[in-house]
Coordinates of all heavy atoms in Angstrom, one line a residue:
W25 N 1.6 -13.5 -3.4 CA 0.2 -13.5 -2.9 C 0.1 -13.5 -1.5 O 1.0 -14.2 -0.9 CB -0.5 -14.7 -3.6 CG -0.6 -14.6 -5.0 CD1 0.2 -15.3 -5.9 CD2 -1.4 -13.7 -5.9 NE1 -0.1 -14.9 -7.1 CE2 -1.0 -14.0 -7.2 CE3 -2.4 -12.8 -5.6 CZ2 -1.6 -13.4 -8.2 CZ3 -3.0 -12.1 -6.7 CH2 -2.6 -12.4 -8.0
P26 N -0.7 -12.8 -0.8 CA -1.8 -12.0 -1.4 C -1.1 -10.7 -1.9 O -0.1 -10.3 -1.5 CB -2.8 -11.6 -0.3 CG -1.9 -11.7 0.9 CD -0.9 -12.8 0.6
S27 N -1.8 -10.2 -3.0 CA -1.2 -9.0 -3.7 C -2.0 -7.7 -3.2 O -3.3 -7.8 -3.1 CB -1.5 -9.2 -5.2 OG -1.1 -7.9 -5.8
C28 N -1.4 -6.7 -2.8 CA -1.9 -5.5 -2.3 C -1.8 -4.3 -3.3 O -0.6 -4.1 -3.8 CB -1.4 -5.2 -0.9 SG -1.7 -6.4 0.3
T29 N -2.8 -3.6 -3.5 CA -2.8 -2.5 -4.4 C -3.2 -1.3 -3.6 O -4.3 -1.3 -3.1 CB -3.6 -2.7 -5.6 OG1 -3.2 -3.8 -6.3 CG2 -3.5 -1.4 -6.6
F30 N -2.4 -0.2 -3.5 CA -2.7 1.0 -2.8 C -3.2 2.0 -3.7 O -2.5 2.3 -4.8 CB -1.6 1.5 -2.0 CG -1.2 0.4 -0.8 CD1 -0.2 -0.3 -1.0 CD2 -2.0 0.3 0.2 CE1 0.2 -1.3 0.0 CE2 -1.7 -0.6 1.2 CZ -0.6 -1.5 1.1
H31 N -4.3 2.7 -3.5 CA -4.8 3.8 -4.5 C -4.6 5.2 -4.0 O -4.5 6.0 -4.8 CB -6.4 3.5 -4.5 CG -6.7 2.1 -5.1 ND1 -6.5 1.7 -6.4 CD2 -7.2 1.0 -4.5 CE1 -6.8 0.5 -6.5 NE2 -7.3 0.0 -5.4
T44 N -3.3 4.5 4.2 CA -3.3 4.2 2.8 C -4.6 3.4 2.6 O -5.1 2.7 3.6 CB -2.2 3.3 2.4 OG1 -2.1 2.1 3.2 CG2 -0.9 4.0 2.4
V45 N -5.1 3.5 1.5 CA -6.4 2.8 1.1 C -6.1 2.1 -0.2 O -5.4 2.6 -1.1 CB -7.6 3.6 1.0 CG1 -8.0 4.2 2.4 CG2 -7.5 4.7 0.1
G46 N -6.8 0.8 -0.4 CA -6.6 0.1 -1.6 C -7.3 -1.2 -1.5 O -8.4 -1.2 -1.0
S47 N -6.8 -2.3 -2.1 CA -7.4 -3.6 -2.2 C -6.3 -4.7 -2.1 O -5.2 -4.5 -2.2 CB -8.1 -3.7 -3.4 OG -7.2 -3.6 -4.5
R48 N -6.7 -5.9 -1.5 CA -6.0 -7.0 -1.4 C -6.6 -8.2 -2.1 O -7.9 -8.4 -1.9 CB -6.0 -7.3 0.2 CG -5.2 -8.6 0.5 CD -5.4 -8.9 2.0 NE -4.7 -10.1 2.4 CZ -5.2 -11.3 2.3 NH1 -6.4 -11.5 1.9 NH2 -4.5 -12.3 2.7
S49 N -5.9 -8.8 -2.9 CA -6.5 -9.9 -3.8 C -5.6 -11.2 -3.7 O -4.5 -11.2 -3.3 CB -6.5 -9.5 -5.2 OG -5.3 -9.2 -5.7
T50 N -6.3 -12.3 -3.9 CA -5.7 -13.6 -3.9 C -5.7 -14.1 -5.3 O -6.3 -13.6 -6.3 CB -6.4 -14.6 -3.1 OG1 -7.9 -14.6 -3.6 CG2 -6.5 -14.1 -1.5
P51 N -4.8 -15.1 -5.7 CA -4.8 -15.6 -7.0 C -6.0 -16.3 -7.4 O -6.9 -16.7 -6.5 CB -3.6 -16.6 -7.0 CG -3.4 -17.0 -5.5 CD -3.9 -15.8 -4.8
Q58 N -11.5 -15.1 -7.8 CA -10.5 -14.4 -7.1 C -11.2 -13.5 -5.9 O -12.2 -13.0 -6.2 CB -9.8 -13.4 -8.1 CG -8.7 -12.7 -7.4 CD -7.9 -11.8 -8.4 OE1 -8.5 -11.2 -9.3 NE2 -6.6 -11.6 -8.2
D59 N -10.6 -13.7 -4.8 CA -11.1 -12.9 -3.6 C -10.4 -11.6 -3.6 O -9.2 -11.5 -3.4 CB -10.8 -13.8 -2.3 CG -11.3 -13.1 -1.1 OD1 -12.4 -12.6 -1.2 OD2 -10.7 -13.2 0.0
V60 N -11.2 -10.5 -3.7 CA -10.7 -9.1 -3.5 C -11.4 -8.4 -2.4 O -12.6 -8.4 -2.4 CB -10.9 -8.4 -4.9 CG1 -10.4 -6.9 -4.7 CG2 -10.2 -9.1 -6.1
R61 N -10.7 -7.8 -1.6 CA -11.3 -7.2 -0.4 C -10.7 -5.8 -0.3 O -9.5 -5.5 -0.7 CB -10.9 -7.9 0.9 CG -11.6 -9.3 0.9 CD -11.3 -10.0 2.1 NE -11.9 -11.4 2.0 CZ -12.9 -11.8 2.7 NH1 -13.6 -10.9 3.5 NH2 -13.4 -13.0 2.5
G62 N -11.4 -4.8 0.4 CA -10.9 -3.5 0.6 C -9.8 -3.5 1.7 O -9.7 -4.5 2.5
L63 N -8.9 -2.6 1.6 CA -7.8 -2.6 2.5 C -7.6 -1.2 3.0 O -7.4 -0.2 2.2 CB -6.5 -3.0 1.7 CG -5.2 -3.0 2.4 CD1 -5.2 -4.1 3.5 CD2 -4.1 -3.3 1.5
I64 N -7.4 -1.0 4.3 CA -7.0 0.3 4.9 C -5.9 0.0 5.9 O -6.0 -0.9 6.7 CB -8.2 1.0 5.7 CG1 -9.4 1.2 4.7 CG2 -7.8 2.2 6.4 CD1 -10.6 1.6 5.4
E65 N -4.8 0.6 5.7 CA -3.6 0.5 6.6 C -3.1 1.8 7.1 O -3.2 2.8 6.4 CB -2.5 -0.4 5.9 CG -2.8 -1.7 5.5 CD -1.7 -2.6 5.1 OE1 -0.6 -2.1 5.1 OE2 -1.9 -3.7 4.8

Side-chain angles (χ1 to χ4, degrees):
W25 297 102
S27 176
C28 298
T29 302
F30 296 103
H31 302 290
T44 57
V45 295
S47 59
R48 177 185 178 274
S49 60
T50 60
Q58 183 178 34
D59 185 37
V60 179
R61 297 179 183 253
L63 178 68
I64 300 173
E65 289 193 4

